[in-house]
Structures are given as structure tokens and as C-alpha cells.
Amino acid sequence: MFHSAALRLTLWYLAIIMAVSLMFSGLLFRVSAGDLQRNVNHEIGYFNNFLGPGDSDNYSRLRQRQLSEDRGHLKANLVLFNVLVLVGGGVASYWLARRTLEPIEQALISQTRFAADASHELRTPLTAIQTENEVAIRNPGLKKEEAIALIKSNLEEVAKLKTLSEGLLRLANGNGRIEDPRDVSSKTVVSLAIDRLAKAAEQKNIRLIDKSDDHRLKGDSESLVELFAIFIDNAIKYSSAKSSVIITSRKQHRDVLIDITDKGRGIKQTDLPMIFERFYRTDDSRSKQTAGGYGLGLAIAKKITTVHGGHIEVKTAIGKGSSFIVHLPSA
Ligand code: ADP
């Protein structure tokens, strides 16, 4: 599909180049032929003063023949020039067309992959709900406890679907900038994020230690709470019970750095370049379904950080833990 689009675009570019080239060649031919004709007329007029009538006619015929030969040469040169423009322009147009279409092609490939990954992730809980209900409906002696267990299991799957669709919406929404940026206290957003995860931390007996200072940030406070909640949530998910997660902050030049450090399992160097990609989960995370998640958290975190004009740094060591350091411009 892209090949034919590139060819079509090439033809358009080439048509424009050729139209300009032919127009200038035509103009050049007319101007040059006019100049040649004027020179010849001038010469003939001049020599007519010295030559007799017979010689004058011969000379005039000779110069007119030379003139038409010169015109022919000029025409041939211009045709050759246009053939060269056609060949060179064709190659350049194709190269330009490919360059023009490349980002569009990449965006389309990524969108298609996103849609395929999303449908794949949506299918798993839907299939589970369908299978469980089909089995239940074929069982005439279904007991009340079994029915309640089935409903519970269905609700769990529905909760997963809700989390997934919320994540997908979060990634799809937004136009790449903050609608109404405001002054935000880093301390407030960090502590709101900690509050959100307090229960999950408690369940794993993990201590969330907030050592961060207050700095002024500019942005959307709800998104920033979500951003820090993603890192804290991951820190809890990928740490063993009874460990701790420490949140610190510091100012570096014009940036505020907020650091979420865990003593969890760490991330392999080979996984590091991919963890911010949508739906990417390390093999460890895939095998341990207990950790939950769809591999969307860090992609959302990256998106929020980028629209705030910041970036994320990761330091990690296998078996020792990870630090996610968010660099955000201060207000
Ligand atoms: P999810 O947590 O839903 O799998 P994320 O996008 O939040 O998705 O994270 C992508 C992957 O990065 C996770 O599957 C996990 O393997 C790895 N990861 C993220 N945070 C940590 C962390 N603090 N410690 C170890 N691994 C992590």
C-alpha cells in the first residue's frame, strides 16, 4: 500500500518538477531564438550596405540556414536537459516521497500494532468470562455457592477489563500538551500518590517512606499524582514482602528530580530499553500473573512526563532494586 502511495507521490513531485522545467525551457527557447533572429537581421542589414544585390541574397539565405541550425541545436540541448531533469527528478522525487511518507508509515504501523495488542489483551478476560458462563449454563445442578463463585470470578475479569480500558483511554487521550497548567506542590502530589497505594503496600507489608521536600512544579496535579502512583505501584508489585520504598526529591539546575527507589528484583539491562513501550512486560512479569498489569503503566508514565516537558531516568541492579528518577521542570 505504501509502495503505491510512494509511487503516486513520486509522480506528483515529478509532474511539478517537469512542469517548471518545461516552462523555463520554453521561455529560454523563445528568448534565445528571438535574440539569435535579431542578431542575424542586424548582421544581414549591416552587410547589405557592402554587398551587391546577388551576394546580399546569398548571404541572407546562408545566415537564415545557420540560424535555423542554431535553433535546432538549442532545441536539442533543451530536450537533452529535460530528459536529464526527468531522470534525475524521478530519482529525487522517489527519495523525497519515501522520506515524506516514512513518519506516516511508522505512525500507522505503531497504531496497527497498538490495536492488535489491545484486542489481544481484551480477548483474554472476555474468553475467560465466556468459557466460565458457558460451562455454568450447561450444568443443570448448579449450586448457589457455585453461582456466587462464578459471579465473583466474572467481576474480577470485569475489573481487569476496566483497568485495561482505562489505561488504553489514558494513552489515547490528550493532544500532547497540558490544557490548563498550574503551580503544583511536589510534596502534595507525592503524598496523594502514596495515599492511593497505602492499602496495596500494607497488604505486602511494604513501608512507603516519603523523604521528599516541597518543590514547585507546573502542570496538571491529577496527572502528576497518577505518574508517581505508577512508579510506587510498580515498586510495590516488583518487591518482595516486608521491604521498603523510598521517595526523595532534589533540585538540579532548573529541574526537580523525584526519585522512587525500591529494593525489589531489579530490571535486566536487555529489558531496560523496552519497558516504556506499550504492552511490554518482562518475561518475569508475564510468568508471575500475581503481579497483574498489562504493561501500560510505564508507557502512561512516559506520556505524562513528556507532556510536562520532563524525562525519566532509570537506575537498576538485578536482585538489589530500581530507582525511577523523574526529571520535571520547576515552576
Ligand atoms: P506492568 O507493571 O503492568 O507490567 P509497566 O509498564 O508498569 O507494566 O512495567 C513494564 C515492566 O517493567 C514490568 O512488567 C516489569 O517487568 C518492569 N518494571 C517496572 N517497574 C519495575 C520495578 N520497580 N522493579 C522491577 N521491574 C519493574
Side-chain angles (χ1 to χ4, degrees):
M1 176 203 158
F2 266 91
H3 191 65
S4 69
L7 280 181
R8 263 204 309 268
L9 199 61
T10 305
L11 287 179
W12 273 109
Y13 285 154
L14 195 58
I16 294 167
I17 293 172
M18 287 317 295
V20 173
S21 173
L22 288 171
M23 205 174 75
F24 276 104
S25 302
L27 218 70
L28 192 76
F29 182 75
R30 281 190 65 163
V31 171
S32 305
D35 279 351
L36 287 172
Q37 180 74 64
R38 258 191 307 280
N39 285 345
V40 166
N41 290 347
H42 185 75
E43 260 180 46
I44 293 171
Y46 179 75
F47 282 108
N48 275 350
N49 296 329
F50 310 104
L51 301 170
D55 289 340
S56 173
D57 276 356
N58 283 343
Y59 179 69
S60 170
R61 265 198 300 278
L62 175 76
R63 288 302 285 133
Q64 291 296 352
R65 209 173 43 243
Q66 282 174 342
L67 176 69
S68 91
E69 271 172 21
D70 286 347
R71 274 211 204 106
H73 282 147
L74 182 64
K75 216 181 259 175
N77 282 340
L78 285 173
V79 169
L80 182 70
F81 170 74
N82 276 285
V83 169
L84 289 178
V85 170
L86 183 72
V87 175
V91 174
S93 300
Y94 185 70
W95 180 79
L96 256 178
R98 295 251 16 133
R99 276 202 65 155
T100 314
L101 290 176
E102 214 169 75
I104 304 168
E105 187 177 3
Q106 285 307 325
L108 210 76
I109 290 172
S110 132
Q111 207 177 35
T112 313
R113 206 182 62 202
F114 181 53
D117 288 343
S119 343
H120 177 78
E121 295 292 346
L122 284 167
R123 223 175 31 214
T124 314
L126 284 173
T127 311
I129 294 174
Q130 190 184 21
T131 318
E132 282 177 355
N133 284 301
E134 277 172 0
V135 171
I137 213 160
R138 279 199 214 102
N139 177 5
L142 186 75
K143 296 196 186 82
K144 192 180 168 194
E145 307 81 69
E146 286 171 336
I148 290 172
L150 172 73
I151 293 168
K152 270 191 185 158
S153 160
N154 279 351
L155 284 175
E156 272 170 27
E157 298 300 335
V158 169
K160 281 188 200 166
L161 284 170
K162 201 169 157 229
T163 316
L164 177 58
S165 64
E166 279 166 1
L168 291 173
L169 264 180
R170 197 78 185 81
L171 278 173
N173 279 346
N175 51 8
R177 60 189 174 87
I178 313 158
E179 287 303 330
D180 181 20
R182 296 189 177 212
D183 269 15
V184 178
S185 141
S186 69
K187 184 98 185 143
T188 308
V189 282
V190 165
S191 71
L192 283 171
I194 290 177
D195 288 350
R196 267 194 206 175
L197 274 309
K199 204 164 161 211
E202 200 183 296
Q203 278 167 0
K204 276 185 86 174
N205 212 347
I206 287 176
R207 280 205 312 146
L208 300 179
I209 305 164
D210 183 6
K211 289 187 179 172
S212 67
D213 301 320
D214 201 10
H215 302 278
R216 305 306 299 170
L217 297 170
K218 200 150 195 82
D220 172 56
S221 72
E222 180 48 39
S223 305
L224 290 171
V225 173
E226 192 183 352
L227 171 70
F228 298 121
I230 289 169
F231 294 118
I232 300 169
D233 183 28
N234 279 348
I236 298 169
K237 279 195 298 194
Y238 303 114
S239 295
S240 41
K242 295 187 185 142
S243 92
S244 55
V245 176
I246 304 171
I247 300 115
T248 54
S249 68
R250 64 180 188 279
K251 191 108 195 273
Q252 192 180 75
H253 309 298
R254 298 179 70 183
D255 280 356
V256 175
L257 274 58
I258 293 149
D259 180 324
I260 300 103
T261 294
D262 63 58
K263 299 187 177 79
R265 66 178 195 214
I267 304 162
K268 280 192 211 135
Q269 287 300 318
T270 46
D271 284 323
L272 264 186
M274 271 93 75
I275 56 171
F276 290 95
E277 276 177 25
R278 300 177 295 201
F279 295 110
Y280 187 82
R281 308 196 72 213
T282 63
D283 288 343
D284 290 346
S285 308
R286 285 178 199 282
S287 53
K288 286 182 192 145
Q289 279 304 313
T290 43
Y294 290 96
L296 292 180
L298 290 182
I300 295 171
K302 187 177 168 189
K303 185 174 174 186
I304 297 173
T305 311
T306 310
V307 296
H308 280 82
H311 66 274
I312 305 165
E313 184 190 346
V314 189
K315 291 180 181 163
T316 183
I318 291 291
K320 293 205 171 111
S322 311
S323 290
F324 283 83
I325 306 151
V326 192
H327 295 237
L328 291 168
S330 60

